[in-house]
Amino acid sequence: MTKSTGFFTLGLLAAGASLFTLFLLNIALFTHTPFIGMWYVPLVSLVLACIALTQKASRKYGLYALLLTSCTVLIAAVILWGLVSINGAY
Amino acid sequence: MDTQKIILHAKQRAKWNTIIVLLTIILAISPIIYMLSITYYAANDRANNLIARTTALYALTDPAVDMNPTTVQTTISPLFNLTFEAELEEQYAGQDYTVGSYEAHYGLTTKTAEKIAMNYPTPADQQFPKYFTATDFQLDMKEIPDDKWITVFAIFNKNYTEDELQVFLRHNVSVLWSAVDTGLEEEILTSTADTYPLIGYPMTKSVDGEQTEESFLKQLERLAESPQQPIDLAAKKRLAYVKEHGISIYGGTLSLKGSALKKLMDMHLIQKFKLLQEDM
């Protein structure tokens, strides 16, 4: 495996991890389970995304993963804020 | 790298790109709509105001049953629907009992359904809030045993202030809810048809963490300001009357033994009453 192919795969992994973060958010919303124990999934996604950003072969996926994870975390934070501020919702 | 390989590589990338974009769209739809739905209800305290208004409606219009705000469970669905449930409580002989549950469904702040389930048999025509008419009241004590705890809604011999209600406490009577004179009571209590619900406030429990008179005015203001009122309370008119004439209590929900009721009737402290509940 060349360096380029390796980073391409890493980029895909970063994108996959960010999609998995989004998937977990979906599961949490449908099952009303907080998934606090899975806090490391977005973190892993962010780390992989940052590594992927360093090489041209994976930069696009790295950027995509970084944006997707950030947006997912932001959506989760807004939902959490809303639930906490509504009486009896959290 | 030959052309064939470059094309294969580009195809592979295009395939992954399509998969990632499609998965992102599929997985993002639900959280985004849910977030918008939550934000809609959380912004400007929309959901909390809906809950507070219903709690206030119970506290101010139901002489016996009270909605416990600490038991409220709210669920928000991604399609801008809100459901809230709460326990209904009633007091007997100084003890609170859960007597039923309340459930309401809202779609964009409009109530779409309401369900009140009581744990004991209730008349099929019973509605919320309760309406009193001239035919509801009785004047004699027959069929009420002396030693039995009962809950009655009584009309007093005159109007009292909150402090003056001590006269009832001296006879081993708990005043659970005070009915306030809002200027419409003569019309309500002499009519044989449903007109307006009576208005008052709970004496033994606080609403919004505040006690009695102050809380009552705040709750009535909340109902008067409400743009969408499911029932006609004439809240604005009644609030103006109370603000002008002050809080004057002409009746109330009393928890007492049959013998105490008899004594209050003999002393003419009570004009007439309606039996709300016998002990469980």
Side-chain angles (χ1 to χ4, degrees), chain B residues 139-264:
Chain B
L139 298 163
D140 56 60
M141 290 286 300
K142 64 182 177 189
E143 291 169 17
I144 298 178
D146 281 356
D147 58 341
K148 214 168 191 185
W149 276 98
I150 50 171
T151 307
V152 296
F153 178 72
I155 305 292
F156 303 149
N157 60 329
K158 59 168 191 155
N159 284 11
Y160 291 88
T161 63
E162 197 180 308
D163 292 337
E164 287 169 350
L165 291 177
Q166 291 289 333
V167 70
F168 293 96
L169 304 183
R170 274 184 231 127
H171 295 94
N172 201 19
V173 174
S174 301
V175 182
L176 305 180
W177 190 83
S178 294
V180 177
D181 183 8
T182 59
L184 295 178
E185 280 63 29
E186 205 177 322
E187 182 192 340
I188 296 169
L189 296 170
T190 52
S191 168
T192 50
D194 292 348
T195 47
Y196 299 102
L198 298 179
I199 279 187
Y201 59 94
M203 296 289 289
T204 51
K205 285 179 191 170
S206 65
V207 179
D208 277 2
E210 290 169 34
Q211 271 299 345
T212 58
E213 288 189 357
E214 203 178 320
S215 169
F216 165 70
L217 283 174
K218 203 173 161 186
Q219 299 295 306
L220 192 56
E221 269 168 19
R222 175 172 274 152
L223 293 179
E225 285 163 6
S226 165
Q228 296 165 310
Q229 200 60 253
I231 47 149
D232 186 12
L233 279 179
K236 275 186 185 163
K237 195 175 163 184
R238 296 167 95 170
L239 177 67
Y241 183 93
V242 173
K243 280 190 170 169
E244 194 185 333
H245 295 89
I247 293 177
S248 180
I249 299 162
Y250 66 90
T253 306
L254 310 177
S255 174
L256 70 177
K257 280 195 168 178
S259 53
L261 180 64
K262 202 171 188 176
K263 202 172 167 189
L264 293 176

Side-chain angles (χ1 to χ4, degrees), chain B residues 35-53:
Chain B
M35 179 187 72
L36 292 174
S37 195
I38 292 257
T39 309
Y40 174 78
Y41 281 108
N44 294 330
D45 258 351
R46 278 192 184 95
N48 289 340
N49 283 338
L50 289 175
I51 296 165
R53 212 148 54 221

